[in-house]
Amino acid sequence: MKENYFPQEIEKKWQKIWDETNAFKTPDESDKPKYYALSMFPYPSGKLHMGHVRNYTITDVIARFKKANGFNVLHPIGWDSFGLPAENAAMKHNADPETWTDENIAYMTKQLKMLGLSYDWDREVTTCKPDYYKWTQWLFLQLYKKGLVYKKEAAVNWCDECGTVLANEQVIDGKCWRCDSVVEKKYLSQWFIKITEYADVLLEDLDKLTGWGENVKTMQANWIGKSHGAIFKFPVVDSPNGDVKEVPVYTTRPDTVFGITYLVVAPEYGDIEKLTTPENKQAVEEYRANARKMTEIERLSTDRVKTGVPLGTHCKNPFTGEIFPLWTADYALVEYGTGAVMAVPTHDTRDWDFAHKYNLPLKVVIQNPENPSNCENEAYTDEGILINSGEFNGMKNTEAKKLITQKAVDEGFGEFKTQYRLRDWLISRQRYWGAPIPVVYCDKCGIVPVPEEQLPVMLPKDVDFKVVGKSPITTSQTFKDTVCPVCGGHATRETDTMDTFVCSSWYYLRYADAKNSGKCFDKDKVNHWLPVDQYVGGIEHAILHLLYSRFFTKALRDCGLLDFDEPFKNLLTQGMVLKDGAKMSKSKGNTVDPDEIFENYGADTARLFILSDSPPARDFDWSDAGVEGCYKFLNRVWRLISTNQDNISLCDSGLDSESFKDKSNDDLVRTVHIAIKGITNDISNDFQFNTVISKYRELVNAIYDWQAKKPQLNDEDKQVLSFAIKSLLILMSPVAVHLTEEAWHELGGAGSIHEQPWCEWDENLAKASSITLVVQINGKVKDKIEVDEGVGDEELKTIALESPKIKALTDGMTIVKTIVVPKKLVNIVVKG
RNA sequence: GCUCCAGUGGCGGAAUCGGUAGACGCGUUGGACUUAAAAUCCAAUCGGGUGCAAACUCGGUGCCAGUUCAAGUCUGGCCUGGAGCACCA
C-alpha cells in the first residue's frame, strides 16, 4: 500500500475493473427483497454540472447502502434526450441533432463513470432512440384508444423564440420555462392529453404519498386547484336575436347570490357576439381585439386597473327577479368555470374594484358581525350573517351556501359543481427533435392513428435544419406524404412531435425491462420493481414531471399495463447547489466544473464534499475550502490505514466471533459500535448524510486518539484496530467508493468491499461505559457527575443530592420535588 | 392575497422522546516541526461579568406570550427570508 493517497490513480484503476466486470448489474430474479433507487435522468446538455453530481451521489449512496443491507437494488440511468437544445445546436451548425446528442451522451457517460456511480448500464434508456420512442408512440396510441388523447382548437401558449406551443405547466410567470421569453396566446389546433379526467384522483392520492415532502404535495394540490361551488344559470332577458336563453356562471360563493349587481363574461366567451346589442357592438369588438393583443403577463397582472365594456343586454336573477347588465371584462377567464362570472362587488374585491370604476350599484348581503355598517370602503369577504337575502336572512353564510344551491337545484336553474384549476396537458410541439405523434390525416377518413405494427414512426433524415418560421420536420420530402392505413388513399403525416415530458413520464417503467423489443415492458417485471422506492431529484419538477408521471401511471394502470397507483413511493427533493449564495449558472459565471474537481481531488472527494455540509433537501453552498477540507480528511484516512498496514488484518476471523465482542471492553470497540449505530440510523432516517460524514470524522479522530495513547500495540490491540478499520472502511464504502475499495484490497480483504454486508452493532456496546449525570436545580445545570452506566434512578437521586456542590446550593432551601430522567439527569426543584 | 418551508456562533450546520445548546467541519488566532514554506500535529474560538490563573457566574436558538420541574424542540400570536400558486370567481 502506498504511503500517500493518489486518488486519480486508484479511481481510474477501479473504474476500469467495475466497468469490465459489469460490477453493478442487477438481476431480475433474486431471493433478496427488491429496492428501486432512482435519480431523475439527465438531459444530455453536454457536461455534468454540480447539481447532477449532487443528485447522483445521493442516490448512489442510498443504492449502495441498501445493497449492503441485503436488498436486490435496481439503480439505473438513462437520457432524457429529446428537446430543443439539440435542435438549436443542429440549426446553428446545420448538423443532425442526433449527432450532437450522441456526443453529449458519450461525454457525460464518461463523467458518470468517473464519479464512480453504481449503475446497471445494461438498462440504460435513451428517449431519442427508436427502440424507446416506438413505445412512447405506442403508449400515445393506447391513451388515444382510451379517449384520453384528443385534438382541439384552443387558446394555447405560444413561445415565438422556441417556435412552438407550451403546456400550461411550462409557462412560468407568463414566460417560457426554457428560454424566458414572453409567451403569447394563439388559437391553434393542438393535441391534448386529458389529465383533467384524473384531477380528482391525482389530488386524493397525494394522501397516500407519505414519503413525499409536504411542500411538493401542496404545490401539486394548488396546481390541481379543486374548489367546491355551484353553477347558476341566469336567464337572458333581451338577447338581440333571442337565441341565447341563459348564461351559466360558476361561483364558490352561492351565499352571495342575492348581492349580484352585474355579470361579466370573458372577452373570448363563446356567445359574446350573440349577447351584444348592435349599439354596443363596436366597443365590444374593440375591447376584444385589444384583449387578444395583450400578453399573458399584461392580462394576468393583478395590479392592473380593471377594464371592461357593457354588452347592452341583461340577465335576470332567478332568486330575486332583479335585472342586471352584462359586461365583458378581461378579469374573467374563458378557460375557467363557464367563462362567466356573477359579480357581487360588496363581497368580492375584484368585483368591488370594477364596480367602483364603472359606477355599478352595490348591495350588501352579508353582514360583518363586528362592523355591521360594512362594505363602505372595501369588499367584505369574510364570514357573516345573511341580510337582504329573502328567506335566507339571518342565516350564517357558511350554512346558506348549501341551502341556496339546493334551492337552485330544486327549481332547475342550478347545480352543485366541483371545479379544477388544472387544464388538459398540451403535448404537441412544432419541433423536429421529439417523438413524432403517430397519426395521419387522410383526405377521406380524417384523423387516423398509425397502426401499432407500423411503429415506430421514424424521424426523417432528409431535413433542412436551417429553415426559419416552421418546424424543420415539415421540410422532409419523404415524411409528410403517406398512405392512409384505412382506405389506402393519400394521407399526410402529423408533423408535430410530442412534448419531451411525455417521454419522461414513463422512463422509470422501462428500466424494469429496458431491452424488451416486443413490448414497452413486461407487466410482471414492472409490477415487481415498481413503485420506485426512492426517487431523488430537483424541486423544479414538483409539478411538471412528477404530476405527469403520476398521471401516466394511473392511466397505464387503467389500460391494464400495470397494477399500482403511484410511481414514486418516496421522494427526496434535493436542494440547489449554490456558489457564493447564488445558484450556479453559466450566465453568472459561478459554475464549478466537475471535471476539474475529479482531476485535482478525485471523485471520492467530490462525493464526500457534496454530501457533507448540508442535509440533502437543503441548498448546498459550494466552497473551495470545503473541498480542500474533504480532501484532507481522505488523506487523513489514508494515512491512518497506510501507516498501520502491518497492524491490520481484515481477514482475521476472530473479528466476527462472539469472544471478540465479549472480551473487548476497549473504549475503541465501543466507539466503533456507537459509530455504526449512529451512521446506520442517520442514513435510514431521511438520509442525513451530513451527520453521517461528521461521524466518519469522529470515528477517525477516535482511532487516532486511541492509538496515540498506545505506543506499542499488542495482539489484542491489533485485533481491536483491525475491527475499527474494517468497520470504518465498510461504513465509508458507499461514499468514498474508490478509496475504500483500494484499501480493502491492499489490506487483503476478500472480494470487493462493495459486496460486503453492512456493519452490525451490539446495543450493549453502542453506548459509553459511563454516563455523565447532569444535575439541575430549578432546571439550570449546576453539576455534572460521572457515574456507572447501570446505576438506578433512586441511586442517581442520592448521588445528585449528596454532591458537595448541590449540597452547598440547596443548603437552607426546601426541596419541593426531584425529577429523575433515567441514565441522564436529575432536576431538583427548590423553594425559599 | 392564499399555501408550504425555514430562522441556532464569523460561516455550513448538529442536538431520537421536551432533558448538558453549539457535535462535526470551515474560517480565525496562537503554538510545535522546518533554514523557510507546504503538509502534518497541538491548543483556543457564542456573548457579558469576576479572576494572575485554574475556575466561577449570568445571559443566549428571529420577537412576544403560554404550557412544563425542564422549551431550539410543544401551543397561540407576530416579524423576517425563501419557494409555489394567483383577477381561478
Side-chain angles (χ1 to χ4, degrees):
Chain A
M1 191 168 182
K2 289 194 176 156
E3 202 177 311
N4 293 316
Y5 174 50
F6 295 112
Q8 296 80 357
E9 209 172 281
I10 297 171
E11 294 184 357
K12 221 171 260 164
K13 168 182 156 189
W14 287 106
Q15 283 159 13
K16 188 157 177 266
I17 292 170
W18 295 332
D19 207 31
E20 284 168 1
T21 58
N22 208 350
F24 305 107
K25 186 167 170 53
T26 307
D28 283 322
E29 305 286 333
S30 168
D31 305 335
K32 301 173 182 170
K34 71 95 185 180
Y35 190 89
Y36 188 174
L38 184 65
S39 295
M40 290 180 184
F41 68 163
Y43 177 77
S45 54
K47 272 189 149 191
L48 292 186
H49 55 67
M50 281 302 168
H52 291 129
V53 172
R54 190 176 192 198
N55 190 169
Y56 307 147
T57 303
I58 290 168
T59 314
D60 192 51
V61 174
I62 294 170
R64 289 169 183 272
F65 175 73
K66 287 291 172 183
K67 186 179 168 189
N69 279 281
F71 289 87
N72 185 33
V73 175
L74 177 59
H75 183 215
I77 188 71
W79 307 96
D80 186 11
S81 52
F82 271 137
L84 214 41
E87 195 167 333
N88 289 341
M91 287 163 114
K92 216 168 161 186
H93 306 113
N94 200 21
D96 187 347
E98 187 168 14
T99 314
W100 184 87
T101 305
D102 287 348
E103 283 169 7
N104 287 349
I105 290 176
Y107 190 82
M108 291 169 81
T109 301
K110 204 181 93 194
Q111 287 186 303
L112 292 176
K113 289 183 177 177
M114 282 171 77
L115 238 189
L117 300 166
S118 62
Y119 293 128
D120 178 354
W121 285 97
D122 286 352
R123 294 174 188 262
E124 184 177 2
V125 148
T126 308
T127 60
C128 68
K129 297 295 171 191
D131 68 352
Y132 184 88
Y133 72 70
K134 171 180 179 175
W135 299 111
T136 305
Q137 292 171 340
W138 186 83
L139 291 169
F140 173 94
L141 293 178
Q142 306 315 302
L143 298 183
Y144 185 83
K145 269 196 259 176
K146 268 237 148 212
L148 290 171
V149 176
Y150 65 95
K151 195 178 189 192
K152 76 163 181 196
E153 173 134 347
V156 296
N157 308 298
W158 173 266
C159 173
D160 213 40
E161 178 75 25
C162 296
T164 184
V165 297
L166 300 169
N168 259 322
E169 289 80 4
Q170 291 164 336
V171 181
I172 315 288
D173 291 334
K175 295 180 190 163
C176 172
W177 69 297
R178 266 206 63 255
C179 70
D180 227 29
S181 48
V182 173
V183 167
E184 305 164 39
K185 278 276 175 218
K186 275 201 177 182
Y187 281 81
L188 294 170
S189 183
Q190 296 290 322
W191 287 95
F192 290 85
I193 287 183
K194 254 190 215 171
I195 192 169
T196 52
E197 196 149 296
Y198 285 74
D200 211 33
V201 68
L202 284 168
L203 183 68
E204 266 176 28
D205 284 359
L206 286 174
D207 290 341
K208 291 185 188 167
L209 298 173
T210 51
W212 285 39
E214 217 46 53
N215 53 342
V216 179
K217 289 197 277 185
T218 33
M219 276 163 77
Q220 290 212 356
N222 286 344
W223 186 261
I224 294 167
K226 185 177 186 173
S227 68
H228 297 281
I231 287 196
F232 292 137
K233 294 172 204 157
F234 295 102
V236 181
V237 293
D238 51 2
S239 153
N241 298 316
D243 51 359
V244 182
K245 299 277 184 267
E246 57 191 21
V247 177
V249 304
Y250 171 73
T251 180
T252 54
R253 293 298 304 276
D255 50 315
T256 63
V257 76
F258 284 81
I260 298 174
T261 54
Y262 65 103
L263 196 149
V264 177
V265 300
E268 302 84 2
Y269 190 74
D271 284 338
I272 188 167
E273 283 174 34
K274 294 178 187 169
L275 287 166
T276 307
T277 59
E279 305 80 67
N280 295 60
K281 193 171 176 192
Q282 198 191 337
V284 170
E285 273 312 312
E286 275 170 22
Y287 186 77
R288 296 179 66 203
N290 208 6
R292 258 197 301 278
K293 270 193 288 183
M294 259 187 276
T295 65
E296 275 292 277
I297 301 182
E298 290 168 338
R299 169 94 188 250
L300 296 178
S301 161
T302 42
D303 36 278
R304 208 175 109 240
V305 177
K306 290 182 178 40
T307 58
V309 289
L311 303 182
T313 51
H314 299 79
C315 277
K316 187 171 103 176
N317 187 339
F319 287 92
T320 61
E322 288 165 336
I323 304 293
F324 52 79
L326 281 165
W327 285 63
T328 183
D330 59 12
Y331 80 90
L333 305 174
V334 73
E335 316 95 89
Y336 187 75
T338 62
V341 184
M342 61 178 229
V344 185
T346 45
H347 305 296
D348 181 286
T349 52
R350 295 152 301 181
D351 299 341
W352 172 273
D353 293 344
F354 192 81
H356 271 255
K357 177 162 183 201
Y358 294 104
N359 275 320
L360 292 157
L362 310 178
K363 184 182 173 193
V364 178
V365 291
I366 293 175
Q367 198 149 50
N368 180 351
E370 273 138 43
N371 175 22
S373 60
N374 56 12
C375 301
E376 273 167 15
N377 302 311
E378 58 180 348
Y380 179 71
T381 56
D382 289 336
E383 293 180 9
I385 304 297
L386 263 64
I387 54 170
N388 299 326
S389 300
E391 64 198 272
F392 302 100
N393 279 342
M395 219 175 260
K396 274 189 179 166
N397 73 314
T398 44
E399 289 163 12
K401 278 186 178 182
K402 210 176 191 171
L403 294 170
I404 288 177
T405 309
Q406 191 57 51
K407 178 174 171 152
V409 173
D410 294 343
E411 299 189 6
F413 54 84
E415 58 185 279
F416 288 95
K417 173 77 178 170
T418 305
Q419 185 69 39
Y420 298 91
R421 208 174 307 207
L422 183 70
R423 311 284 152 80
D424 276 339
W425 175 15
L426 199 175
I427 58 152
S428 41
R429 297 290 178 274
Q430 292 69 51
R431 301 308 324 167
Y432 169 81
W433 194 229
I437 291 175
V439 157
V440 301
Y441 301 100
C442 172
D443 300 343
K444 273 194 230 145
C445 316
I447 295 177
V448 180
V450 173
E452 292 176 12
E453 59 276 12
Q454 288 180 22
L455 298 180
V457 175
M458 297 279 284
L459 279 169
K461 293 281 182 187
D462 54 336
V463 167
D464 174 14
F465 289 107
K466 287 231 175 248
V467 74
V468 179
K470 56 180 180 174
S471 167
I473 203 171
T474 58
T475 64
S476 167
Q477 297 301 308
T478 55
F479 187 75
K480 273 180 94 167
D481 289 329
T482 187
V483 172
C484 171
V486 175
C487 70
H490 178 261
T492 315
R493 262 190 210 290
E494 171 63 81
T495 54
D496 282 0
T497 53
M498 283 186 242
D499 181 5
T500 56
F501 280 94
V502 178
C503 306
S504 61
S505 290
W506 73 281
Y507 79 103
Y508 49 89
L509 302 168
R510 180 72 177 172
Y511 286 136
D513 194 13
K515 293 288 175 275
N516 198 328
S517 56
K519 289 184 199 170
C520 55
F521 43 75
D522 180 79
K523 189 173 177 178
D524 291 339
K525 285 186 179 172
V526 158
N527 284 338
H528 169 69
W529 281 113
L530 276 282
V532 172
D533 292 279
Q534 186 63 54
Y535 200 25
V536 184
I539 187 77
E540 66 273 17
H541 288 111
I543 294 171
L544 286 156
H545 164 63
L546 290 169
L547 189 65
Y548 295 149
S549 296
R550 293 183 61 225
F551 159 76
F552 244 76
T553 298
K554 290 170 194 300
L556 299 192
R557 176 202 58 199
D558 294 343
C559 291
L561 295 169
L562 46 84
D563 291 330
F564 45 93
D565 304 325
E566 287 288 340
F568 314 121
K569 200 167 155 194
N570 297 293
L571 174 71
L572 173 61
T573 46
Q574 109 233 10
M576 288 187 297
V577 180
L578 312 176
K579 178 87 193 292
D580 311 319
K583 186 180 181 178
M584 277 194 190
S585 75
K586 277 183 199 157
S587 55
K588 287 198 201 88
N590 62 345
T591 55
V592 176
D593 185 354
D595 282 345
E596 272 175 39
I597 303 297
F598 299 159
E599 202 176 305
N600 295 332
Y601 301 98
D604 283 347
T605 294
R607 295 170 61 107
L608 184 75
F609 176 56
I610 204 94
L611 298 174
S612 66
D613 267 7
S614 299
R618 230 183 281 183
D619 286 350
F620 177 88
D621 211 337
W622 184 275
S623 79
D624 297 334
V627 182
E628 198 71 45
C630 286
Y631 184 62
K632 283 182 188 174
F633 173 67
L634 290 182
N635 272 286
R636 192 166 145 83
V637 173
W638 185 268
R639 223 176 309 121
L640 174 66
I641 296 164
S642 66
T643 55
N644 270 306
Q645 205 173 354
D646 299 335
N647 297 327
I648 303 166
S649 168
L650 290 187
C651 35
D652 181 351
S653 57
L655 294 184
D656 299 318
S657 70
E658 286 302 314
S659 62
F660 173 72
K661 281 185 204 161
D662 291 346
K663 78 178 173 193
S664 309
N665 207 16
D666 194 294
D667 276 348
L668 184 57
V669 174
R670 286 185 176 273
T671 306
V672 172
H673 279 269
I674 291 168
I676 296 171
K677 181 180 177 179
I679 288 167
T680 308
N681 287 343
D682 284 357
I683 301 179
S684 307
N685 301 334
D686 293 330
F687 310 117
Q688 292 179 56
F689 297 121
N690 53 331
T691 57
V692 168
I693 285 158
S694 72
K695 281 166 184 151
Y696 291 163
R697 292 176 185 273
E698 283 175 346
L699 179 55
V700 170
N701 290 346
I703 299 173
Y704 269 110
D705 290 348
W706 175 87
Q707 200 169 17
K709 287 184 212 138
K710 290 182 191 277
Q712 281 294 313
L713 298 182
N714 62 29
D715 285 349
E716 196 168 308
D717 291 335
K718 285 182 185 175
Q719 211 177 24
V720 169
L721 182 65
S722 297
F723 169 68
I725 297 292
K726 183 182 179 182
S727 306
L728 176 70
L729 287 175
I730 292 174
L731 291 171
M732 285 185 68
S733 67
V735 179
V737 297
H738 308 89
L739 182 149
T740 54
E741 181 81 312
E742 175 72 6
W744 183 264
H745 186 75
E746 287 290 323
L747 294 174
S752 163
I753 194 167
H754 301 300
E755 301 291 335
Q756 293 300 309
W758 194 244
C759 306
E760 287 175 14
W761 74 90
D762 181 311
E763 204 56 61
N764 286 318
L765 290 173
K767 54 192 169 195
S769 52
S770 69
I771 54 169
T772 308
L773 177 69
V774 174
V775 186
Q776 299 179 328
I777 295 178
N778 289 346
K780 301 213 181 270
V781 179
K782 294 294 172 185
D783 199 6
K784 294 173 189 179
I785 308 164
E786 285 297 310
V787 297
D788 261 4
E789 198 265 326
V791 178
D793 291 3
E794 274 308 306
E795 210 176 325
L796 286 179
K797 192 168 160 181
T798 317
I799 292 170
L801 289 168
E802 279 173 10
S803 137
K805 264 190 200 170
I806 299 301
K807 268 196 159 160
L809 287 163
T810 53
D811 192 36
M813 310 274 219
T814 319
I815 294 174
V816 182
K817 68 173 160 178
T818 311
I819 287 116
V820 181
V821 181
K823 298 175 196 242
K824 217 173 229 170
L825 174 143
V826 175
N827 187 16
I828 302 157
V829 186
V830 297
K831 205 168 62 176

